Amino acid sequence: MNLILFGPPGAGKGTQSALLVERDSYFQISTGDLLRAAINKQTPLGMQAKETMNKGLLVPDDIVLGLVRESLGARGQRSVILDGFPRNTQQAEALWVVLKELGIKINAAVFIEVEKEHLLKRLLGRRVCQNCGATYNEHFKPELKTGVCDLCGGAVVQRADDSKEVILKRLETYEQSTLPLKDYFSKLGILKKVSGIGETEEVYMGIKKFLN
Ligand code: AP5
């Protein structure tokens, strides 16, 4: 069962994708992670994306589509989660073309609903391991030793785009560009909604409901 996970910044897309990968053997394609990996490697694409991401804007569609197309080729037999892609209707239209070429069907587009007032606190409190990508939160899920990853001992830091100013811009970009996908997926009959409030386990169970 192939999924799209979408929702506002901080809704828990990455957190839930990690659980689905670990427990249900999904193959996750996160365009945000792919772009950050390109930035860390200082590739030309990464350098181009960095400035845009740090302004809270969307990276050009052709760049992210290229990344997604490449990753889809590496999925093997596994079911796919698209995390953070598509991000606007143009990307969605381009995605259907690629999926048709590859013979892949999306079964559900799961919208993780979290009200705006929770998002700022979550994102300002988020910390990420620079080595393995594990996600922590200083309010909800702190690492055992501050600044050190529980899983691999790597450095746990704040993401470059998790400053208040950039978060507010990301939320604005989300409302303008990504939120209209709700109607888009609804018209296609694949929209599923799950509450992103509560324990991560509860949210996971909400998503699992659609997979069974
Ligand atoms: P991306 O990395 O996709 O960021 P985002 O969409 O803003 O989403 P986040 O990763 O911030 O949040 P999340 O929903 O994954 O939440 P998480 O699970 O971490 O994109 C970054 C940038 O890349 C974009 O701004 C854009 O520039 C570019 N980009 C990416 N894709 C693109 C595309 N397709 N097109 C163009 N540009 C693109 O959780 C957040 C925090 O909350 C964590 O600390 C977590 O521990 C905590 N948390 C999670 N669940 C719960 C819960 N249930 N209760 C309490 N806390 C929780």
Side-chain angles (χ1 to χ4, degrees), residues 8-15 31-32 35-36 53 57-59 64 84-85 87 91 122-123 126 135-137 140 159 161 170 196 198-200 203:
K13 304 179 290 294
T15 302
T31 42
L35 291 165
R36 279 184 290 278
M53 289 169 76
L57 302 172
L58 292 184
V59 172
V64 279
F85 181 90
R87 210 101 162 181
Q91 290 183 8
R122 281 192 186 185
L123 290 170
R126 174 167 56 189
T135 301
Y136 298 91
N137 194 290
F140 307 109
R159 235 168 72 174
D161 59 349
R170 282 161 60 202
E199 295 295 319
T200 52
V203 182

Side-chain angles (χ1 to χ4, degrees), residues 133-186:
T135 301
Y136 298 91
N137 194 290
E138 79 178 20
H139 309 292
F140 307 109
K141 190 193 165 200
E143 56 279 21
L144 296 172
K145 185 172 173 209
T146 306
V148 181
C149 180
D150 298 352
L151 303 179
C152 74
V156 172
V157 299
Q158 190 165 35
R159 235 168 72 174
D161 59 349
D162 276 347
S163 66
K164 186 171 177 186
E165 188 193 353
V166 181
I167 292 168
L168 293 176
K169 189 65 202 172
R170 282 161 60 202
L171 287 168
E172 194 184 311
T173 304
Y174 161 78
E175 278 174 14
Q176 280 169 4
S177 304
T178 311
L179 197 54
L181 284 175
K182 247 173 100 176
D183 279 348
Y184 181 92
F185 292 135
S186 174

Side-chain angles (χ1 to χ4, degrees), residues 62-83:
D62 56 334
I63 292 186
V64 279
L65 187 69
L67 290 170
V68 170
R69 184 191 283 271
E70 203 179 300
S71 300
L72 280 170
R75 78 192 185 284
Q77 297 302 311
R78 281 171 288 175
S79 295
V80 174
I81 305 171
L82 292 173
D83 160 11

Side-chain angles (χ1 to χ4, degrees), residues 38-39 41-50 63:
I39 292 174
K41 285 190 205 143
Q42 303 194 339
T43 65
L45 184 152
M47 293 303 95
Q48 199 185 333
K50 185 175 178 179
I63 292 186

Side-chain angles (χ1 to χ4, degrees), residues 1-7 106-113 181-196 206-212:
M1 184 150 188
N2 299 304
L3 300 180
I4 290 170
L5 277 192
F6 75 115
I106 295 292
N107 306 93
V110 180
F111 178 63
I112 306 182
E113 290 182 286
L181 284 175
K182 247 173 100 176
D183 279 348
Y184 181 92
F185 292 135
S186 174
K187 283 183 188 140
L188 290 176
I190 57 171
L191 179 71
K192 309 282 177 198
K193 291 190 235 169
V194 66
S195 168
I207 296 174
K208 282 286 283 183
K209 220 174 50 194
F210 301 126
L211 310 186
N212 296 327

